[in-house]
Amino acid sequence: MNWGRFMFRLLLACSAGAVEAFFFENFLQDLPYTYPTGIQLEDGAAYDYVVVGAGAAGAAAASRLALKGFDVMLIEAGGDPSFLSTIPMASLGLLGSSLDWQYKTIPNNISCLSSIGEQCRFSRGKSLGGTTAINHMLYIRGNRYDYDRMNISGWTWKDLEPYFLRYEGLQILDQYPASSRKYHNSNGTMKLEYFDDPRNPWHTRTVEGLKQLNIPFNKDLNGEYQIGVTKVAGYVYKGERMSTARGYLARNDVKKNLKVAKNAFCTEVVIDDDNIARGVTVVQNLQKVTIYARIEIVLSAGTIGTPQILMQSGVGPADHLQEMGISVRSNLPVGNDMSDHHLPVVIVKVDHGGLVDSLVGLTSKAPQVLQYLASRSGPLASNSLQDIVTLINTNCYDFDLRQYSGNSSLCELADMQIIQSYIDKGLVALAKPLVKQAIGFNDQVLDQIEKANENHGLIIFSPMVLQPYSRGTVRLASIDPLQPPAIFANYLGDERDVEQMVKSITFLEHLMKTQIFKKHKASILHLNLPGCPAYKCGRVEYWRCYARHMTYSGYHAVGTCALTRVVDEQLRVYGVKNLRVADLSVLKNIIRGNTASVSIAIGERIVDFLTEEDNP
Ligand SMILES: Cc1cc2nc3c(=O)[nH]c(=O)nc-3n(C[C@H](O)[C@H](O)[C@H](O)COP(=O)(O)OP(=O)(O)OC[C@H]3O[C@@H](n4cnc5c(N)ncnc54)[C@H](O)[C@@H]3O)c2cc1C
């Protein structure tokens, strides 16, 4: 490695916004593993199973089936994840990149008002590993009650726990309390560790501020209790992202047995006159082919991709399909009742005293880059402040006393999750196009953020509404399967979600008043937003209006092919034989936490449904 040449090219790449291509070109070969080689599909070829989508669930399902000796073809619309995807600190830079489907929501006029075109970003991963190749890597499994309350046979926590444990490779179990041991496994294929230290003092200050509001520190939000603030385990191993592309597909035993078609877009399921799914049509390298499944087809294209494929195949709401000119094979509420975490983006100005990284110049970052490349450690192996995660039930927080008192069993059910990230002083100006592409706020808002960032570091708080009432839909926008579908997320469609956001922001206002935040002159930025009253003219009204402007997706949408509505308890699509769905779209209720964990568990789960002898 010629470091002089490297640094020169890094500076060039950063200024040109071509970071991804640069890293890809220079360092992909340095990975300690390789992804499976892709194959060119042949028209008419047949396999035991065809799995569509190599994301969280699909990679798990296809790998396990292949390891059991089946002839499996895994179809993925994207290619390999780039080297940038493997660097934990780089996750924000992946949004809006070529690894992202770059979906946007259809405006509903009452949310996302400060996003470009009033359309919230709706990122989804497009590569091996799917969204696990671009997500924030936080490992949270949800509350046990989230599964029990679905009240579906075979889907309680007790039923699902073995599947979480099957893949879990928690490397830091010895650092957890003894009471946690029975909830974890260290030997699974998805290795999980703590992120490296970001060397940002707000990492500990955030925990300290929350402690002052009596939020307990909970070492393990996936253990006995879910409430509190924690330093969470991440999908990281030895300083690199642990996507399902790495955890499953890069395994030598999987590569030996599994066939993978990359850059292969599935357009439709081929369903015969007896309503039996026979195969799928796929566009790869501009060629359309049909491949067949001897046993079954599994759709794992995610909460957006799976309903899109089903509707293109005639499985969906009859009125919508007829309107699109598609013959109806099975009239089902596909695409209905989509539920997603959403949040108001809250920007906090802080002083930058004491920050190691207060100088933004790229040269000041060079040692960090070099450290990462040499040893996969240092701030680039961290997740900024994002691994500090808080889960609380706001009904158990006393807004007068400014103290949390979670002493009833109800308090164990969180309704708010907070994560935060940090922006160095001056960074917005330096990387404005990247920030705009990733976050999608309009210039009016971005300019205000840039100005605030001129002399201050910024902490971006994301207080997610964990149990939203609003529901959205996914529909076809075109008869052309290659066109993106219409995603009507309908954030804040239910007024109760607005009130929950105001509560969350009030909680953050209290956090600003804690000694540690006050000491560092932390204050929430009151953005000037069109149509909103000034903050001083009415705090609550201002925050309600703010929430409608600064709405942002938590990127956890579920429910578009839900259990007992579209698929049965064994994930079989009603009315069509030999066709199942295994991904996040089958979850009937959104969980209290991040969703990759449950999607991987669903991928593991379907393998038993497909292969158990007593499977009726
Ligand atoms: C920015 C962001 C941050 C997130 N952070 C976290 C986090 O910190 N922790 C966490 O647990 N979760 C997080 N999530 C959510 C989590 O990653 C997803 O919920 C999860 O990966 C969904 O799994 P899935 O199997 O349903 O779909 P995906 O993982 O999205 O996989 C679907 C796959 O299908 C492919 N596909 C789609 N359509 C087709 C087609 N027609 N033909 C062929 N292939 C197709 C896609 O390219 C993709 O590879 C985050 C999500 C985002 C976007």
Side-chain angles (χ1 to χ4, degrees):
M1 169 69 60
N2 175 339
W3 291 113
R5 180 175 141 257
F6 164 75
M7 286 315 298
F8 176 71
R9 293 176 69 187
L10 176 66
L11 290 170
L12 268 184
C14 288
S15 55
V19 184
E20 186 177 327
F22 169 82
F23 277 110
F24 189 82
E25 182 197 332
N26 285 276
F27 292 108
L28 188 61
Q29 67 275 18
D30 289 350
L31 290 179
Y33 50 86
T34 58
Y35 300 114
T37 313
I39 67 164
Q40 182 66 39
L41 291 169
E42 273 180 40
D43 195 34
Y47 309 89
D48 293 341
Y49 290 102
V50 173
V51 178
V52 176
S63 301
R64 294 292 186 205
L65 286 168
L67 288 174
K68 280 179 181 280
F70 291 103
D71 181 19
V72 184
M73 171 54 75
L74 176 61
I75 307 286
E76 169 54 46
D80 292 340
S82 62
F83 178 73
L84 197 63
S85 148
T86 67
I87 305 174
M89 183 61 121
S91 63
L92 194 66
L94 301 171
L95 302 186
S97 74
S98 60
L99 297 186
D100 181 356
W101 284 85
Q102 302 182 21
Y103 294 131
K104 292 174 191 128
T105 60
I106 305 276
N108 70 349
N109 304 322
I110 50 173
S111 64
C112 312
L113 299 179
S114 286
S115 293
I116 299 165
E118 300 188 3
Q119 297 179 282
C120 266
R121 295 295 152 122
F122 204 88
S123 290
R124 286 293 174 281
K126 185 183 190 182
S127 72
L128 299 186
T131 309
T132 70
I134 65 163
N135 72 12
H136 298 325
M137 299 158 281
L138 308 175
Y139 178 58
I140 299 189
R141 303 189 300 210
N143 193 292
R144 292 185 269 278
Y145 172 75
D146 295 334
Y147 304 97
D148 293 346
R149 79 164 169 155
M150 283 200 293
N151 199 17
I152 299 171
S153 159
W155 290 88
T156 64
W157 172 252
K158 215 162 162 250
D159 297 312
L160 275 180
E161 188 179 24
Y163 298 94
F164 282 98
L165 296 185
R166 188 178 283 178
Y167 73 75
E168 190 190 74
L170 191 66
Q171 305 296 295
I172 50 175
L173 192 50
D174 56 342
Q175 298 175 52
Y176 277 14
S179 61
S180 276
R181 300 278 149 80
K182 62 177 184 224
Y183 299 108
H184 294 289
N185 174 27
S186 296
N187 302 316
T189 195
M190 292 295 288
K191 303 264 188 292
L192 304 152
E193 286 182 342
Y194 284 134
F195 294 92
D196 215 334
D197 183 353
R199 293 191 213 142
N200 182 327
W202 284 101
H203 208 248
T204 47
R205 285 177 197 162
T206 306
V207 176
E208 202 179 319
L210 288 158
K211 270 192 189 160
Q212 286 169 18
L213 300 177
N214 206 29
I215 307 296
F217 189 82
N218 180 349
K219 262 221 142 173
D220 180 15
L221 293 182
N222 295 312
E224 202 149 12
Y225 304 106
Q226 211 203 3
I227 294 296
V229 55
T230 200
K231 176 174 157 60
V232 81
Y235 297 87
V236 276
Y237 182 54
K238 298 195 171 163
E240 290 179 1
R241 176 191 291 271
M242 176 54 70
S243 67
T244 56
R246 181 183 179 192
Y248 287 91
L249 303 178
R251 281 171 53 157
N252 287 333
D253 54 355
V254 170
K255 280 188 290 195
K256 245 190 330 201
N257 291 292
L258 178 67
K259 298 185 178 87
V260 180
K262 303 177 195 176
N263 303 307
F265 186 94
C266 172
T267 50
E268 193 181 332
V269 180
V270 178
I271 301 172
D272 73 11
D273 292 343
D274 299 320
N275 265 15
I276 301 174
R278 297 293 182 190
V280 293
T281 53
V282 180
V283 175
Q284 189 186 30
N285 294 331
L286 302 177
Q287 282 187 333
K288 188 170 165 183
V289 296
T290 303
I291 59 164
Y292 295 92
R294 293 182 206 105
I295 307 177
E296 289 205 46
I297 293 156
V298 177
L299 296 182
S300 297
T303 297
I304 305 305
T306 291
Q308 183 183 15
I309 297 169
L310 282 176
M311 287 188 274
Q312 289 288 358
S313 318
V315 179
D319 51 350
H320 174 58
L321 298 183
Q322 278 152 5
E323 201 184 308
M324 300 302 293
I326 296 172
S327 343
V328 181
R329 297 310 194 121
S330 185
N331 176 14
L332 294 173
V334 171
N336 291 4
D337 282 309
M338 182 171 72
S339 170
D340 194 8
H341 293 146
H342 44 302
L343 56 111
V345 171
V346 178
I347 299 146
V348 168
K349 286 197 298 189
V350 292
D351 67 6
H352 54 278
L355 267 188
V356 180
D357 297 340
S358 58
L359 294 170
V360 161
L362 281 170
T363 42
S364 77
K365 296 285 181 207
Q368 296 180 9
V369 174
L370 295 181
Q371 180 185 355
Y372 185 77
L373 294 173
S375 63
R376 298 293 189 263
S377 63
L380 266 69
S382 82
N383 199 356
S384 178
L385 305 179
Q386 294 193 81
D387 58 339
I388 299 299
V389 175
T390 310
L391 283 163
I392 62 165
N393 184 325
T394 51
N395 296 312
C396 303
Y397 174 74
D398 188 320
F399 281 85
D400 296 324
L401 293 177
R402 301 188 176 188
Q403 289 288 294
Y404 193 72
S405 61
N407 51 13
S408 81
S409 58
L410 248 189
C411 300
E412 169 55 14
L413 297 176
D415 61 4
M416 174 174 74
Q417 176 177 351
I418 308 176
I419 58 170
Q420 53 285 309
S421 48
Y422 186 79
I423 301 184
D424 272 350
K425 179 169 85 95
L427 191 64
V428 175
L430 197 74
K432 205 167 176 186
L434 199 72
V435 174
K436 193 168 177 174
Q437 168 185 288
I439 311 293
F441 286 136
N442 63 27
D443 284 337
Q444 200 184 2
V445 161
L446 264 191
D447 290 347
Q448 293 179 63
I449 297 175
E450 181 184 353
K451 189 152 190 347
N453 185 229
E454 270 171 17
N455 295 312
H456 298 271
L458 302 177
I459 305 180
I460 311 295
F461 280 93
S462 301
M464 280 197 300
V465 178
L466 277 186
Q467 292 295 290
Y469 290 94
S470 309
R471 294 288 180 269
T473 55
V474 174
R475 292 286 183 264
L476 298 177
S478 161
I479 187 75
D480 177 357
L482 299 177
Q483 293 304 310
I487 303 169
F488 185 66
N490 196 25
Y491 297 135
L492 303 181
D494 190 306
E495 193 69 32
R496 288 171 290 186
D497 295 337
V498 182
E499 294 312 314
Q500 181 62 32
M501 286 192 182
V502 173
K503 249 175 145 181
S504 308
I505 299 173
T506 307
F507 177 82
L508 291 176
E509 287 185 316
H510 292 183
L511 183 63
M512 297 309 119
K513 299 275 185 283
T514 56
Q515 263 170 15
I516 187 79
F517 274 75
K518 268 201 322 214
K519 184 171 159 202
H520 294 282
K521 301 188 176 56
S523 65
I524 298 182
L525 190 59
H526 296 151
L527 292 167
N528 185 7
L529 300 167
C532 292
Y535 177 79
K536 56 179 186 296
C537 298
R539 196 187 71 85
V540 171
E541 261 322 299
Y542 172 77
W543 287 131
R544 282 192 186 123
C545 189
Y546 181 100
R548 294 201 182 278
H549 277 78
M550 297 296 287
T551 332
Y552 200 73
S553 175
Y555 296 129
H556 294 151
V558 305
T560 50
C561 302
L563 278 154
T564 71
R565 292 199 290 255
V566 173
V567 296
D568 72 9
E569 288 88 342
Q570 298 213 345
L571 302 175
R572 291 174 287 220
V573 175
Y574 290 121
V576 183
K577 270 199 166 152
N578 297 353
L579 179 62
R580 304 203 200 207
V581 174
D583 55 32
L584 211 56
S585 69
V586 306
L587 264 200
K588 213 167 168 179
N589 305 316
I590 198 155
I591 59 164
R592 292 170 166 82
N594 308 63
T595 42
S597 57
V598 57
S599 198
I600 302 170
I602 292 167
E604 292 275 1
R605 182 98 175 96
I606 195 169
V607 177
D608 282 359
F609 289 146
L610 290 166
T611 59
E612 270 169 9
E613 267 168 20
D614 59 349
N615 183 12

